[in-house]
Amino acid sequence: MKIIATALDNSTYEIGSILFCELVKSADAPCDSLSVKFRSKEIPPELNSIKAFEESKIVFNGFVDTQSAEIYSDEFIITVYARSSACLLVDNEAQPQMLFKPCFSQLFMMFAKPFGFINKTERLFSEVSYDIQKGTSCYGAMNNFVYAFSGRNLTVTPENEMKILKPSDNQRNLESFRISGAKQIINRGELISDIVYKINGSDSYSYHLESRSASEKGISRKRLINLSGLPPWQRESSAHKKLCSSFSEYNQLEVTLIGYNNFSLLERVIYPSFCSGEYLVSRFVFTQNENKKQTKLLLYREIDAKEINYVDK
C-alpha cells in the first residue's frame, strides 16, 4: 500500500518502512479510519491530510487526527491516525433551523458542498417541514433525512462522492479468493422483539413496533424509547432503525482473506461450502505488517424483521 501525507506547508511526504498499517471501513460509521506506524530517520513535519493507494487506486482520503513520535536508538517510530474526509461533516455542527418541504439537494448545498463534496445520491423530496435540532452534525442533518425516506445511510467515497449506501447489484463468491480462516456467529443477545415508545411528553408508552421475526426465534426483549422530542415524520423511522439494527449482528460471518482484497460496504457475497445464503459486507479491515497482508471481512445476513405497528388501548 502506498501512503502519501501532506504537511501544513503543502509539502508531500511518502511514508515508507511501514511496520503496521490498518484500514477500516464500517457500514455503521460515516468515517473510514487509517492507522499507520513506520520507521523514520527524522521526525516528519506536522501532517494535515493523508491518502492511501492500492495499485494506483485511491482507497483512503482523509485528515490526520493524531501524530506521535518515539525515539529508539538512531531512529524514530512514527504513528499516525486519520479519519476519512467524511470527518468534516461529522465534526461540524449544522445550524438549527426549520426547512419547509426540502429536498436532499438543498441539504447537500447547505451542509456538504462548501467542503468540496460531490452529490451522487438519488433525488429525495419531503412533503413536510424538516426540523434540524441543536447539536446535529452536518452529516446527521443529511443522513437523518435520507434514512427517513430510504431506510439507508449516507456514505462518502475516497473520491469525495456522497452516495446512499445500498447492497450491490452483483454477488461475489468468496471461494474464488484465498481464505485463511472463517467463523460463523449466531448472536441472539442483541435482538429486540418490541420497541415501545411515546410521541408526547405527557403520554404513556403505548406505541409499539413489534418484530414477528424476533418472536419466531423465541426472543422476548423490549426497549422503551421517548420519541416526543423528534418531529412527527422522524419518529417511525427512528424506531424502525433501532429495531432493524438489532438484527445486524444476529447471523454473521468473519472471513479472513490473504493479501489486499477490495470489497465495498454492503457488497453481496456468498460462501457456499461454509454457509448457505447471501451475506452483506458490514465491516472491512485491511492490515499490513512487515510479514503479511490480510483482509478481514465481517458479513451479516439481512433479515426481514416482519414489523407490526399497533397502539395499546
Side-chain angles (χ1 to χ4, degrees):
M1 182 172 286
K2 182 179 180 181
I3 301 176
I4 299 177
T6 302
L8 290 178
D9 62 1
N10 289 324
S11 61
T12 57
Y13 186 91
E14 183 168 352
I15 294 176
S17 302
I18 295 176
L19 297 171
F20 177 79
C21 174
E22 182 180 68
L23 172 62
V24 180
K25 300 185 292 183
S26 181
D28 60 2
C31 299
D32 301 341
S33 68
L34 179 69
S35 302
V36 58
K37 179 181 286 190
F38 59 98
R39 295 190 182 95
S40 178
K41 290 297 183 182
E42 59 184 16
I43 297 178
E46 183 175 341
L47 303 176
N48 175 42
S49 61
I50 191 166
K51 295 181 179 181
F53 301 83
E54 184 66 28
E55 295 183 353
S56 76
K57 177 178 174 58
I58 187 169
V59 295
F60 180 86
N61 172 23
F63 296 92
V64 175
D65 277 337
T66 60
Q67 173 181 342
S68 65
E70 301 172 77
I71 186 168
Y72 289 92
S73 185
D74 61 344
E75 66 178 6
F76 298 95
I77 303 298
I78 313 298
T79 304
V80 175
Y81 172 80
R83 288 177 298 153
S84 62
S85 60
C87 70
L88 295 171
L89 304 173
V90 173
D91 294 348
N92 284 280
E93 186 175 335
Q95 180 177 335
Q97 57 193 289
M98 178 74 75
L99 299 175
F100 181 68
K101 295 185 178 182
C103 61
F104 178 77
S105 294
Q106 179 183 353
L107 296 174
F108 175 85
M109 294 299 292
M110 294 171 62
F111 303 122
K113 182 70 173 177
F115 296 109
F117 293 101
I118 303 166
N119 186 9
K120 292 290 185 178
T121 66
E122 294 85 351
R123 300 179 69 183
L124 295 175
F125 297 87
S126 171
E127 291 300 322
V128 296
S129 295
Y130 179 44
D131 183 18
I132 299 174
Q133 299 179 319
K134 177 70 176 74
T136 305
S137 68
C138 291
Y139 175 82
M142 294 182 290
N143 192 66
N144 292 342
F145 182 89
V146 169
Y147 190 88
F149 290 102
S150 69
R152 299 290 181 182
N153 291 313
L154 284 170
T155 187
V156 178
T157 71
E159 293 82 14
N160 280 342
E161 295 178 343
M162 184 169 286
K163 300 179 178 181
I164 296 176
L165 188 59
K166 296 188 292 187
S168 63
D169 295 328
N170 300 320
Q171 187 185 76
R172 298 170 80 181
N173 190 334
L174 293 180
E175 292 176 358
S176 62
F177 298 85
R178 293 184 298 163
I179 297 175
S180 63
K183 177 172 68 173
Q184 184 188 37
I185 305 164
I186 301 295
N187 181 6
R188 293 169 52 86
E190 300 298 324
L191 285 183
I192 297 174
S193 59
D194 191 10
I195 300 289
V196 187
Y197 60 97
K198 63 178 179 177
I199 60 175
N200 290 300
S202 59
D203 288 349
S204 61
Y205 289 87
S206 57
Y207 294 83
H208 292 256
L209 182 63
E210 189 174 291
S211 167
R212 284 183 296 170
S213 290
S215 300
E216 290 167 0
K217 297 179 187 303
I219 301 296
S220 179
R221 187 172 292 115
K222 181 170 62 176
R223 293 289 183 268
L224 278 70
I225 56 177
N226 184 354
L227 300 180
S228 60
L230 293 178
W233 67 274
Q234 284 185 252
R235 292 168 185 161
E236 187 172 334
S237 66
S238 180
H240 168 83
K241 188 172 187 178
K242 188 172 182 65
L243 182 69
C244 290
S245 64
S246 75
F247 281 83
S248 64
E249 297 182 14
Y250 170 67
N251 188 332
Q252 294 180 302
L253 290 181
E254 286 184 0
V255 182
T256 303
L257 310 174
I258 298 171
Y260 179 87
N261 298 274
N262 187 42
F263 281 81
S264 301
L265 294 175
L266 299 196
E267 189 162 359
R268 301 178 188 272
V269 299
I270 55 172
Y271 192 178
S273 65
F274 187 52
C275 292
S276 61
E278 180 182 82
Y279 287 80
L280 301 177
V281 176
S282 65
R283 186 174 172 87
F284 167 99
V285 181
F286 167 73
T287 56
Q288 170 185 337
N289 58 33
E290 294 180 293
N291 301 315
K292 67 178 181 179
K293 297 180 180 181
Q294 69 175 28
T295 303
K296 180 173 288 188
L297 302 176
L298 181 61
L299 315 169
Y300 77 101
R301 180 166 289 169
E302 198 166 42
I303 298 173
D304 182 2
K306 299 180 182 178
E307 299 166 44
I308 303 172
N309 282 288
Y310 66 93
V311 181
D312 289 334
K313 296 181 179 180

